[in-house]
């Protein structure tokens, strides 16, 4: 079955650089309780996880206790600091997705407490439910069938029925190929993984999630290229791969993540998708972002620039451990609230102040790292403007990578971005690899069949037919 | 051997090492061939040229002077050089430094960090048996037994999975392998104190450290082998 887009984006939703700002999205999203995301204010989005504990039937009482303690602390702190609203993300773990009843239970614990704070104290809040993409547990994974997939959909459905406001997931379709592409810095394989496999999987799974959202009255938020470009980011931070490769890979994820919005997702996009600004520029959806206040979860060189055009500001994730002042999720709630308060205060003074803050956020990072440079609002608009001209997601992926290389080369020449001497040759290597990719995806797929280990993934799960072997045997 | 010959050989070793560092397969093969045709001991070609070049690569990677794909190109060049030595001098394959069973523990499906460590261990001379992700303790114990591994390398990125490292160590002990295998752990959820707490023999914060730590563990292990290619020449 072909899962076709229901929307196409032929022009930019954000019309000018001055309209590309935090807190305001061309198409804001209104939740059941009246909270509007992208309607003028930036809201904190807190995400938390468990301390070291094995999740099974015997430990579930402790797991319930942990989540109850975390949500109470988070809401209490949000109330104390007069937060205008807060989004809580429940990022489920593999065991709490594989056993939907556990994820559903935790979802209820959080939602009931959130309702209570809204009723008692007027603290508005939204719950984002993010099941784990457990399909990849099986190797090679079954992407479109099986119990693991059914558990994901059951979790979505039941959690939404129980009050989860926003549905999201970090899907992994194409990761089987992309992981290898990263280790070898092979942009051909990365483009195949993202532009062919990733896009196909996104269309499949998000068509279903959008259906569930429509049936349950929840919001189909959006996906993230976390398993792809964030893996690249992590490898680059450990000096395992060039930062320029991670930057190019980030831009190449744009058509893949956009595929979710093409089949009906509306935002807010997921926090760890650093490609979010491109989603906002192209699809006009509100986005959640994470940066400096996600230092609890990982190192990055994009801590400030990530905030430039965010509509929600997140900490990625932090485990429930006690710090001097309070448990870590409570501490991070406080930090997020203060970050948002500053951004909203600047915006309240007038657009020019918000733009000034945005530019400070951009300039303080973008000169120091190519990954930050490709997230600069003007660069995002420049590349996005070219991408919307492409109708085919695969060609757009190839084009995105090529545009990122061009922009980085230009930025280096102009002294706008620092690139380590040992990295410079990589832009030429990436360029020459991109030039070998044909514009016809079927021709590319035929070529890739000879380069890829087809025992590690299942082409049929992406509606792809293996033809190279047939051709060889026929010959 | 004349001084001239000595200087020439030393220069060729240097060239070979540099070719491995650059990942220049063509130059590696050309230099190996020249050295062998000149009657140089194949073992020395391997040790002083190819393996020595790869050691330099390992150090450069550790010091952030090289990227992973560069390391892979170097490893490929070195392996082609070794294969050429074997073909020309009919020598057996390079004996591994040791056998390692690796995997991501049960409850966790993170893959790439473990894969990077696996690549570095293989390029460091180890024979690695990858068990994949979400691996049950019993499967690890069975794999250690089956492959007679000297080291078990466990990875975890999730706080909710890291305790399964302890369970895995218990399973290995229950299978009677306590004194036969050393356990090393890694992954973003883990740290040295945790390794000590669960009874692991080692902790590695990154892939380079993992190779170094595994070599140390083998050297401290009575059933471990000495470092080096152990290339045996068939006369």
């Amino acid at each position: 079955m072909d899962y076709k887009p229901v929307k196409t984006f032929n022009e930019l939703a954000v019309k000018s650089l001055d309209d590309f700002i935090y807190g305001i999205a061309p198409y804001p999203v209104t939740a059941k309780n009246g909270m509007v995301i992208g309607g003028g204010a930036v809201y904190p989005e807190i995400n938390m996880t468990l301390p070291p504990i094995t999740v099974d039937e015997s430990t579930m009482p402790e797991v319930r206790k942990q989540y109850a303690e975390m949500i109470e602390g988070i809401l209490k702190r949000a109330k104390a600091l007069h937060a205008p609203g807060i989004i809580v993300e429940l990022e489920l773990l593999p065991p709490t997705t594989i056993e939907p009843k556990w994820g559903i239970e935790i979802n209820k614990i959080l939602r009931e407490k959130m309702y209570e704070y809204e009723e008692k104290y007027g603290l508005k809040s939204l719950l984002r439910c993010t099941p784990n993409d457990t399909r990849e547990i099986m190797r090679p994974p079954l992407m479109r069938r099986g119990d693991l997939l059914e558990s994901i959909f059951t979790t979505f459905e039941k959690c939404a029925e129980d009050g989860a406001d926003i549905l999201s997931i970090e899907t992994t379709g194409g990761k089987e190929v992309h992981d290898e592409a990263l280790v070898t810095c092979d942009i051909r394989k990365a483009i195949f993984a993202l532009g062919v496999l990733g896009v196909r999987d996104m269309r499949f799974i998000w068509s279903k999630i959008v259906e569930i959202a429509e049936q349950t009255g929840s919001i189909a938020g959006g996906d993230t290229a976390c398993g792809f470009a964030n893996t690249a980011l992590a490898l680059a931070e450990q000096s395992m791969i060039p930062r320029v490769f991670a930057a190019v890979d980030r831009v190449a994820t744009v058509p893949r993540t956009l595929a979710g919005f093409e089949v009906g997702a509306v935002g807010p996009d997921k926090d760890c998708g650093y490609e979010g600004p491109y989603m906002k520029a192209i699809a006009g959806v509100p986005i959640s972002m994470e940066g400096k206040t996600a230092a609890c979860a990982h190192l990055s060189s994009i801590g400030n620039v990530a905030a430039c055009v965010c509509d929600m500001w997140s900490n990625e994730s932090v485990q429930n451990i006690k710090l001097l002042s309070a448990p870590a999720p409570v501490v991070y709630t406080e930090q997020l609230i203060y970050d948002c308060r500053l951004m909203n205060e600047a915006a309240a003074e007038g657009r020019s102040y918000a733009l000034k803050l945005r530019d400070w956020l951009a300039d303080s990072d973008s000169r120091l790292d190519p990954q930050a440079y490709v997230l600069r609002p003007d660069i995002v608009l420049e590349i996005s403007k070219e991408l919307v001209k492409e109708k085919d997601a695969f060609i757009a992926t190839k084009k995105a990578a090529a545009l990122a290389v061009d922009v980085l080369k230009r930025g280096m020449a102009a002294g706008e971005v620092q690139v380590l001497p040992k990295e410079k040759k990589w832009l030429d290597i990436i360029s020459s690899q991109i030039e070998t990719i044909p514009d016809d995806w079927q021709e590319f797929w035929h070529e890739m069949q000879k380069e890829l280990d087809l025992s590690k993934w299942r082409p049929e799960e992406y509606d792809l037919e293996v033809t190279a072997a047939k051709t060889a045997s026929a010959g | 051997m004349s001084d001239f010959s000595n200087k020439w050989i030393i220069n060729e070793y240097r060239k070979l090492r540099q070719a491995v560092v650059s990942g220049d397969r063509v130059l590696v093969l050309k230099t190996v061939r020249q050295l062998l045709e000149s009657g140089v001991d194949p073992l020395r070609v391997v040790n002083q040229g190819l393996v020595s070049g790869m050691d330099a690569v390992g150090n450069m990677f550790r010091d952030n002077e090289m990227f992973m794909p560069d390391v892979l190109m170097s490893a490929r060049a070195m392996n082609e050089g070794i294969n050429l030595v074997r073909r020309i001098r009919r020598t057996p394959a390079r004996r591994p430094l040791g056998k390692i069973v690796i995997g991501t523990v049960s409850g966790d499906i993170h893959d790439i960090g473990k894969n990077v460590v696996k690549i570095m261990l293989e390029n460091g001379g180890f024979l690695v048996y990858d068990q994949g992700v979400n691996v049950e303790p019993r499967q690890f114990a069975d794999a250690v037994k089956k492959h007679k591994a000297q080291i078990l390398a466990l990875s975890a990125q999730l706080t909710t999975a890291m305790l399964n490292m302890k369970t895995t160590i218990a399973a290995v002990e229950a299978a009677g392998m306590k004194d036969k295998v050393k356990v090393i752990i890694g992954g973003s959820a883990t740290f040295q104190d945790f390794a000590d707490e669960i009874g692991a023999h080692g902790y590695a914060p990154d892939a380079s450290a993992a190779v170094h730590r595994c070599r140390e563990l083998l050297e401290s292990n009575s059933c471990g082998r000495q470092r080096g290619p152990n290339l045996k020449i068939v006369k």
Side-chain angles (χ1 to χ4, degrees):
Chain A
M1 188 178 168
D2 195 10
Y3 297 89
K4 289 207 166 110
V6 294
K7 272 189 240 176
T8 49
F9 303 105
N10 303 317
E11 56 183 87
L12 292 185
V14 173
K15 302 297 178 195
S16 77
L17 189 55
D18 283 355
D19 292 329
F20 202 23
I21 184 73
Y22 60 79
I24 299 171
Y27 305 111
V29 169
T30 305
K32 284 177 196 163
N33 66 355
M35 271 181 84
V36 181
I37 308 297
V42 179
Y43 288 101
E45 179 172 22
I46 183 77
N47 187 341
M48 66 286 190
T49 191
L50 296 165
I53 185 173
T54 303
V55 181
D56 57 30
E57 197 71 62
S58 69
T59 59
M60 270 309 287
E62 177 61 21
V63 169
R64 289 183 201 105
K65 192 179 138 214
Q66 289 276 341
Y67 277 104
E69 179 187 300
M70 286 191 276
I71 193 66
E72 181 81 52
I74 286 165
L75 296 173
K76 197 172 168 191
R77 186 62 57 103
K79 175 181 161 279
L81 292 174
H82 310 286
I86 189 166
I87 292 87
V88 176
E89 183 183 19
L90 170 58
E91 209 170 279
L92 290 166
L93 296 156
T96 51
T97 304
I98 293 169
E99 277 291 351
K101 65 177 183 187
W102 292 343
I104 294 162
E105 245 188 283
I106 298 164
N107 182 79
K108 261 189 192 169
I109 291 169
L110 301 186
R111 200 64 192 95
E112 278 167 15
K113 189 55 73 176
M114 291 162 73
Y115 283 140
E116 185 188 317
Y117 266 72
E118 186 157 352
E119 280 163 23
K120 275 192 191 168
Y121 310 110
L123 174 64
K124 285 188 181 290
S125 59
L126 302 177
L127 179 60
R128 187 201 290 266
C129 173
T130 306
N132 192 278
D133 189 356
T134 45
R135 293 175 298 173
E136 64 168 335
I137 287 180
M138 187 187 280
R139 305 290 167 99
L142 288 174
M143 305 306 289
R144 298 191 178 188
R145 57 204 156 111
D147 294 344
L148 292 168
L149 180 65
E150 285 311 311
S151 292
I152 292 171
F153 289 143
T154 303
T155 304
F156 269 131
E157 201 178 312
K158 300 293 179 198
C159 288
E161 283 171 1
D162 288 344
D165 299 277
I166 305 165
L167 308 183
S168 279
I169 187 167
E170 303 179 4
T171 57
T172 55
K175 196 170 183 295
E176 312 95 303
V177 171
H178 193 266
D179 274 358
E180 188 190 327
L182 286 184
V183 174
T184 52
C185 283
D186 184 336
I187 200 71
R188 275 172 60 86
K189 283 182 187 164
I191 287 172
F192 179 76
L194 295 165
V196 177
L197 305 183
V199 167
R200 283 165 174 251
D201 185 55
M202 283 285 292
R203 284 178 183 163
F204 159 73
I205 199 157
W206 276 95
S207 296
K208 301 274 186 189
I209 298 167
V210 168
E211 253 179 54
I212 293 171
E214 283 167 357
Q215 285 161 9
T216 56
S218 55
I219 299 162
D223 211 286
T224 158
C226 184
F228 304 86
N230 290 17
T231 306
L233 178 145
L235 291 176
E237 291 301 345
Q238 292 170 58
S239 297
M240 288 193 183
I241 65 169
R243 286 162 190 270
V244 292
F245 191 90
V248 172
D249 193 58
R250 171 69 59 196
V251 182
T253 65
V254 170
R256 173 217 164 266
T257 304
L258 193 66
F261 300 106
E262 289 172 338
V263 296
V266 293
D269 201 16
K270 175 105 171 70
D271 57 353
C272 54
Y274 287 101
E275 66 280 12
Y278 289 87
M279 303 305 117
K280 186 167 179 173
I282 296 171
V285 296
I287 59 172
S288 185
M289 294 292 287
E290 63 183 46
K292 57 179 180 270
T293 322
C296 49
H298 61 77
L299 166 70
S300 85
S301 303
I302 48 185
N304 282 334
V305 71
C308 286
V309 299
C310 71
D311 302 295
M312 285 160 34
W313 185 237
S314 156
N315 67 317
E316 158 85 88
S317 191
V318 69
Q319 71 260 46
N320 191 28
I321 52 167
K322 181 80 173 72
L323 302 180
L324 266 181
S325 62
V330 179
V331 171
Y332 275 83
T333 300
E334 178 170 335
Q335 290 181 339
L336 292 170
I337 289 171
Y338 278 111
D339 283 348
C340 294
R341 200 186 274 183
L342 178 64
M343 286 191 270
N344 291 333
E345 189 62 25
E349 286 284 306
R351 176 64 65 91
S352 62
Y353 292 95
L355 290 172
K356 176 53 82 182
L357 178 55
R358 180 201 69 182
D359 291 344
W360 282 339
L361 289 165
D363 295 346
S364 56
D365 286 350
S366 64
R367 294 187 194 98
L368 302 174
D369 193 290
Q371 297 172 93
Y373 190 71
V374 298
L375 295 186
R376 219 171 73 172
D378 59 326
I379 300 290
V380 171
L381 283 186
E382 180 189 338
I383 292 178
S384 299
K385 201 173 171 184
E386 294 303 313
L387 293 183
V388 292
K389 292 176 186 168
E390 294 300 340
K391 289 188 174 57
D392 180 274
F394 158 64
I395 296 177
T397 305
K398 179 184 162 185
K399 190 172 183 175
L403 287 166
V405 171
D406 291 347
V407 157
L408 286 171
K409 282 184 176 173
R410 191 190 66 202
M412 279 165 57
E416 289 180 352
V417 57
Q418 288 176 23
V419 172
L420 293 171
K422 67 173 178 172
E423 297 215 348
K424 285 178 182 163
K425 69 171 185 183
W426 277 96
L427 283 174
D428 290 329
I429 294 172
I430 297 167
S431 251
S432 57
Q433 285 181 2
I434 295 170
E435 280 167 20
T436 66
I437 301 173
D439 280 339
D440 177 20
W441 76 265
Q442 282 176 311
E443 193 184 332
F444 189 37
W445 164 224
H446 192 77
E447 285 178 16
M448 292 310 287
Q449 287 172 53
K450 295 163 197 161
E451 295 177 31
L452 296 170
D453 181 352
L454 297 182
S455 68
K456 289 188 174 167
W457 59 288
R458 302 172 196 261
E460 70 274 16
E461 294 293 317
Y462 297 92
D463 269 344
L464 289 172
E465 195 184 342
V466 177
T467 54
K470 284 178 191 168
T471 308
S473 60
Chain B
M1 197 171 277
S2 70
D3 282 352
F4 173 78
S5 295
N6 269 335
K7 275 184 190 165
W8 179 82
I9 290 168
I10 288 165
N11 194 44
E12 289 299 292
Y13 286 155
R14 192 180 299 128
K15 200 184 350 172
L16 187 51
R17 280 195 295 271
Q18 189 48 46
V20 170
V21 171
S22 314
D24 188 339
R25 294 154 57 209
V26 175
L27 186 58
V28 163
L29 295 177
K30 187 180 160 194
T31 313
V32 166
R33 201 177 287 278
Q34 280 173 347
L35 281 163
L36 294 178
E37 281 169 1
S38 308
V40 175
D41 180 355
L43 188 60
R44 285 175 182 270
V45 173
V46 172
N47 284 344
Q48 297 189 29
L50 297 166
V51 172
S52 171
M54 203 59 209
D55 280 346
V57 168
N59 291 338
M60 290 172 79
F61 183 67
R62 180 197 63 204
D63 298 339
N64 296 336
E65 291 168 17
M66 279 181 101
F67 295 118
M68 195 76 193
D70 299 319
V71 173
L72 292 174
M73 278 172 63
S74 293
R76 191 170 162 193
M78 177 195 73
N79 285 328
E80 287 193 16
I82 289 176
N83 286 339
L84 183 63
V85 173
R86 287 177 56 204
R87 274 205 309 278
I88 294 178
R89 291 288 180 258
R90 291 188 294 121
T91 59
R94 189 181 168 205
R95 206 168 72 193
L97 291 182
K99 293 178 187 173
I100 300 177
V101 165
I102 195 171
T104 303
V105 295
S106 172
D108 198 339
I109 51 181
H110 286 90
D111 209 2
I112 197 162
K114 180 261 299 170
N115 289 345
V116 168
V117 172
K118 178 190 165 193
I119 289 168
M120 291 306 294
L121 288 170
E122 284 173 341
N123 290 329
F126 291 95
L127 189 55
V128 185
Y129 299 94
D130 187 0
Q131 302 303 298
V133 296
N134 195 34
V135 181
E136 292 297 330
R138 180 63 193 268
Q139 188 187 332
F140 274 122
D142 290 348
V144 166
K145 206 170 219 174
K146 180 182 168 192
H147 300 298
K148 297 186 173 64
Q150 292 112 330
I151 295 174
L152 171 61
L154 305 175
S155 171
Q157 308 293 318
L158 297 176
T159 51
T160 48
M162 61 197 284
L163 292 180
N164 288 330
M165 291 176 153
K166 189 177 179 181
T167 321
T168 302
I169 291 172
V172 168
E173 288 177 2
M177 309 292 291
K178 189 180 177 184
D179 301 322
K180 292 177 182 154
V181 66
K182 303 272 185 185
V183 180
I184 182 170
I185 68 165
S188 62
T190 62
F191 45 94
Q192 183 64 58
D193 286 352
F194 177 70
D196 297 341
E197 200 181 307
I198 63 170
H201 302 91
Y203 160 73
D206 56 50
S208 295
V211 178
H212 184 69
R213 200 73 193 92
C214 283
R215 284 178 172 171
E216 283 179 350
L217 286 175
L218 268 191
E219 280 162 13
S220 68
N221 190 346
S222 56
C223 52
R225 297 192 178 95
Q226 291 300 305
R227 191 175 169 206
N230 298 321
L231 191 87
K232 198 173 172 184
I233 307 299
V234 175
K235 299 279 183 190

